[in-house]
């Protein structure tokens, strides 16, 4: 392994497009370029391809094809899901302080137009206190918003228990499953999820395409945010990004067939990485080590500045926060909410692996990180 070869361990930010996905997309840039809403034969052919992707996407999360609305990604899906609920009688939203900025900023907006928003804390392991959630819900609560798997720590919440509580209170459940879909089994029916967001580029699909799942109950409450031609059952107007949508569908198809294989192999590599890196004196894993997704490890290296470490690593791609601010002088709001000091948060690195990560790469990363941590600490 040379210092010229890129080793990419920032897969929670984005992933390499699978070759099979790219191959599936290419004809839709050239020969199959008609508008999917056109009524001629060429357009109808493209519409059939889009309908196939709705089925592929629904199949990945155990939904129905007509419950899928394609978007430009998870951020747009979150905007549609949150702002689309603006005209409901209930005016109380509950979320968690460790959510992605796409959720938090939308909640700030909803507060500016008259909603009450409650931001719940987590314990030091990143898990939510269900008793606190139950006490927070009132007869004015419209929706609870929470990640399936945290983008920085990988912590997975008790989705079953949370959804059961929300159902008993007649509160909608909006789940940001961007870091979970395509990596682990996500079943909207089993988990009682009303609205779910996903993004193709998090599981080896293209950037610029994602989807919003809407249960029958949620669909009746949502108003569109992009209006115009009335595409997608009037929920999201605009000419569809057909190549991207086709890529999403192929990524979903591949993920369904590889979930268990990827989980078993990548988890072994993640564990190997942690065993090696935790040799550094005083280092520790941020977040619950049992309830987390298999590809993510967030490690604090005390007295080592994460920005300096990231720059020194050169050909090794890692991050010290969310993908939208991978190198920042501000401590992670997620780690701070979990009780870390500024110094600890600014000494933490997120390593996120993928199905393309190799054992040789892990060996190289462990040696290089340990070497640099010793230098930077001294």
């Amino acid at each position: 392994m040379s210092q010229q070869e890129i080793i990419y361990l920032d897969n929670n930010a984005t992933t390499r497009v699978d070759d099979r996905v790219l191959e599936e997309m290419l004809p839709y840039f050239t020969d199959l370029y008609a508008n999917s809403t056109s009524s001629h034969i060429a357009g109808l052919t493209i519409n059939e391809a889009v309908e196939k992707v709705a089925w592929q996407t629904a199949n990945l999360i155990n939904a129905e094809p007509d419950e899928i609305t394609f978007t430009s990604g998870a951020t747009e899906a979150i905007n549609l899901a949150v702002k689309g609920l603006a005209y409901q009688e209930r005016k109380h939203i509950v979320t968690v302080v460790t959510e992605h900025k796409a959720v938090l900023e939308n909640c700030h907006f909803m507060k500016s137009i008259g909603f009450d928003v409650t931001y719940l804390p987590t314990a030091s392991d990143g898990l939510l206190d269900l008793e606190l959630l139950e006490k927070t819900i009132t007869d004015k609560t419209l929706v609870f918003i929470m990640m399936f798997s945290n983008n920085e720590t990988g912590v997975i919440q008790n989705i079953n228990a949370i959804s059961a509580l929300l159902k008993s209170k007649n509160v909608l459940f909006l789940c940001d499953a961007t870091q979970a879909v395509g990596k682990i089994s996500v079943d909207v029916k089993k988990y009682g999820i009303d609205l779910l967001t996903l993004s193709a580029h998090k599981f080896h699909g293209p950037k610029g395409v994602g989807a919003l799942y809407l249960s029958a109950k949620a669909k009746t409450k949502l108003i569109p945010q992009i209006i115009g031609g009335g595409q997608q059952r009037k929920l999201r107007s605009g000419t569809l990004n057909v190549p991207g949508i086709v890529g999403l569908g192929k990524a979903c198809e591949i993920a369904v067939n590889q979930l268990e294989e990827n989980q078993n192999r990548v988890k072994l590599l993640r564990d190997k990485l942690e065993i090696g890196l935790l040799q550094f004196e005083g280092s520790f894993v941020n977040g619950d080590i049992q309830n987390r997704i298999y590809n993510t490890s967030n490690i604090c290296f005390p007295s080592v500045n994460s920005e300096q470490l990231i720059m020194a690593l050169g050909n090794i791609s890692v991050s010290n926060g969310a993908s939208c601010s991978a190198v920042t002088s501000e401590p992670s709001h997620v780690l701070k909410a979990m009780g870390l000091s500024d110094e600890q948060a600014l000494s933490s690195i997120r390593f996120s692996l993928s199905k393309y990560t190799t054992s040789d790469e892990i060996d190289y990363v462990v040696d290089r990180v340990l070497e640099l941590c010793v230098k930077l600490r001294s």
Side-chain angles (χ1 to χ4, degrees), residues 138-153:
T138 72
D139 58 359
K140 300 296 184 183
T141 305
L142 171 64
V143 62
F144 174 63
I145 309 172
M146 187 191 66
M147 286 184 186
F148 198 112
S149 171
N150 188 271
N151 59 308
E152 293 193 32
T153 64

Side-chain angles (χ1 to χ4, degrees), residues 286 298-300 306 319-320 335 340 344-350:
N286 294 315
N298 193 306
I299 300 179
C300 178
S306 60
S319 75
N320 60 351
L335 299 183
L340 272 69
Q344 288 173 323
L346 291 170
S347 297
S348 295
I349 295 287
R350 181 187 69 185

Side-chain angles (χ1 to χ4, degrees), residues 104-118:
L104 298 178
E105 291 300 319
N106 269 283
C107 287
H108 292 334
F109 170 80
M110 296 297 278
K111 188 169 185 177
S112 75
I113 62 170
F115 275 69
D116 292 325
V117 181
T118 301

Side-chain angles (χ1 to χ4, degrees), residues 82 157 198 239 242 307 335:
V82 179
Q157 301 289 340
L198 62 91
T239 302
V242 176
E307 288 186 23
L335 299 183

Side-chain angles (χ1 to χ4, degrees), residues 225-368:
Q225 297 304 295
I226 299 176
I227 57 176
Q231 291 92 337
Q232 301 198 74
R233 300 172 299 280
K234 298 184 178 181
L235 280 171
R236 195 261 193 184
S237 294
T239 302
L240 295 181
N241 169 18
V242 176
I245 289 170
V246 168
L248 166 62
K250 189 64 177 180
C252 289
E253 177 187 297
I254 294 169
V256 166
N257 295 324
Q258 292 189 335
L259 279 182
E260 185 174 354
E261 175 190 344
N262 290 340
Q263 179 163 344
N264 292 338
R265 195 184 74 82
V266 176
K267 183 180 184 300
L268 287 174
L269 293 177
R270 193 275 312 273
D271 292 347
K272 179 182 180 180
L273 174 73
E274 282 189 350
I275 290 170
L277 294 180
L278 292 176
Q279 295 177 69
F280 185 71
E281 183 182 358
S283 60
F284 57 89
V285 176
N286 294 315
D288 191 287
I289 62 173
Q290 300 299 325
N291 301 294
R292 58 174 173 158
I293 202 160
Y294 61 84
N295 80 311
T296 304
S297 180
N298 193 306
I299 300 179
C300 178
F301 302 98
S303 302
V304 176
N305 183 279
S306 60
E307 288 186 23
Q308 293 178 355
L309 178 57
I310 289 171
M311 298 309 295
L313 283 170
N315 65 317
I316 301 172
S317 300
V318 294
S319 75
N320 60 351
S323 57
C324 54
S325 55
V327 178
T328 172
S329 58
E330 294 295 322
S332 158
H333 77 279
V334 172
L335 299 183
K336 287 279 290 175
M338 291 165 54
L340 272 69
S341 66
D342 284 357
E343 183 179 2
Q344 288 173 323
L346 291 170
S347 297
S348 295
I349 295 287
R350 181 187 69 185
F351 303 85
S352 47
L353 289 61
S354 82
K355 64 182 181 181
Y356 293 115
T357 305
T358 68
S359 184
D360 287 344
E361 288 178 333
I362 296 300
D363 290 334
Y364 179 85
V365 169
V366 168
D367 290 343
R368 187 77 178 129

Side-chain angles (χ1 to χ4, degrees), residues 29-299:
F29 288 107
T30 53
D31 299 330
L32 304 174
Y33 56 85
N35 192 318
S36 62
T37 57
S38 296
S39 57
H40 45 65
I41 294 298
L44 294 174
T45 300
I46 303 304
N47 186 58
E48 286 182 4
V50 171
E51 290 181 350
K52 177 185 176 182
V53 176
W55 181 89
Q56 290 171 313
T57 307
N59 184 53
L60 182 60
I61 60 173
N62 192 27
E64 299 299 326
D66 64 356
E67 295 173 327
I68 302 298
T69 299
F70 298 116
T71 67
S72 62
T75 295
E76 185 197 333
I78 290 168
N79 273 264
L80 172 56
V82 179
K83 294 176 181 174
L85 296 170
Y87 294 103
Q88 297 302 308
E89 185 176 344
R90 294 186 178 190
K91 299 289 185 181
H92 180 221
I93 295 172
V94 182
T95 189
V96 185
V97 291
T98 52
E99 292 303 293
H100 191 279
K101 290 294 180 68
V103 166
L104 298 178
E105 291 300 319
N106 269 283
C107 287
H108 292 334
F109 170 80
M110 296 297 278
K111 188 169 185 177
S112 75
I113 62 170
F115 275 69
D116 292 325
V117 181
T118 301
Y119 300 91
L120 296 179
T122 68
S124 59
D125 58 8
L127 293 172
L128 178 66
D129 182 343
L130 267 66
E131 289 186 5
L132 178 59
L133 172 60
E134 184 171 16
K135 291 176 182 176
T136 305
I137 293 173
T138 72
D139 58 359
K140 300 296 184 183
T141 305
L142 171 64
V143 62
F144 174 63
I145 309 172
M146 187 191 66
M147 286 184 186
F148 198 112
S149 171
N150 188 271
N151 59 308
E152 293 193 32
T153 64
V155 168
I156 296 176
Q157 301 289 340
N158 190 343
I159 304 295
N160 271 331
I162 289 169
S163 63
L165 171 60
L166 297 173
K167 187 175 182 180
S168 72
K169 302 288 187 179
N170 195 28
V171 173
L172 293 172
F173 184 14
L174 166 53
C175 184
D176 174 8
T178 309
Q179 294 293 343
V181 168
K183 299 175 187 176
I184 58 177
S185 177
V186 176
D187 186 324
V188 294
K189 301 295 193 295
K190 173 184 175 182
Y191 291 122
I193 296 170
D194 297 296
L195 307 96
L196 178 142
T197 61
L198 62 91
S199 197
H201 76 103
K202 302 294 187 179
F203 58 104
H204 307 288
K207 298 176 181 64
V209 63
L212 172 65
Y213 156 78
L214 285 170
S215 68
K217 178 182 178 182
K219 192 180 299 184
T220 62
K221 298 180 181 295
L222 211 68
I223 59 169
Q225 297 304 295
I226 299 176
I227 57 176
Q231 291 92 337
Q232 301 198 74
R233 300 172 299 280
K234 298 184 178 181
L235 280 171
R236 195 261 193 184
S237 294
T239 302
L240 295 181
N241 169 18
V242 176
I245 289 170
V246 168
L248 166 62
K250 189 64 177 180
C252 289
E253 177 187 297
I254 294 169
V256 166
N257 295 324
Q258 292 189 335
L259 279 182
E260 185 174 354
E261 175 190 344
N262 290 340
Q263 179 163 344
N264 292 338
R265 195 184 74 82
V266 176
K267 183 180 184 300
L268 287 174
L269 293 177
R270 193 275 312 273
D271 292 347
K272 179 182 180 180
L273 174 73
E274 282 189 350
I275 290 170
L277 294 180
L278 292 176
Q279 295 177 69
F280 185 71
E281 183 182 358
S283 60
F284 57 89
V285 176
N286 294 315
D288 191 287
I289 62 173
Q290 300 299 325
N291 301 294
R292 58 174 173 158
I293 202 160
Y294 61 84
N295 80 311
T296 304
S297 180
N298 193 306
I299 300 179

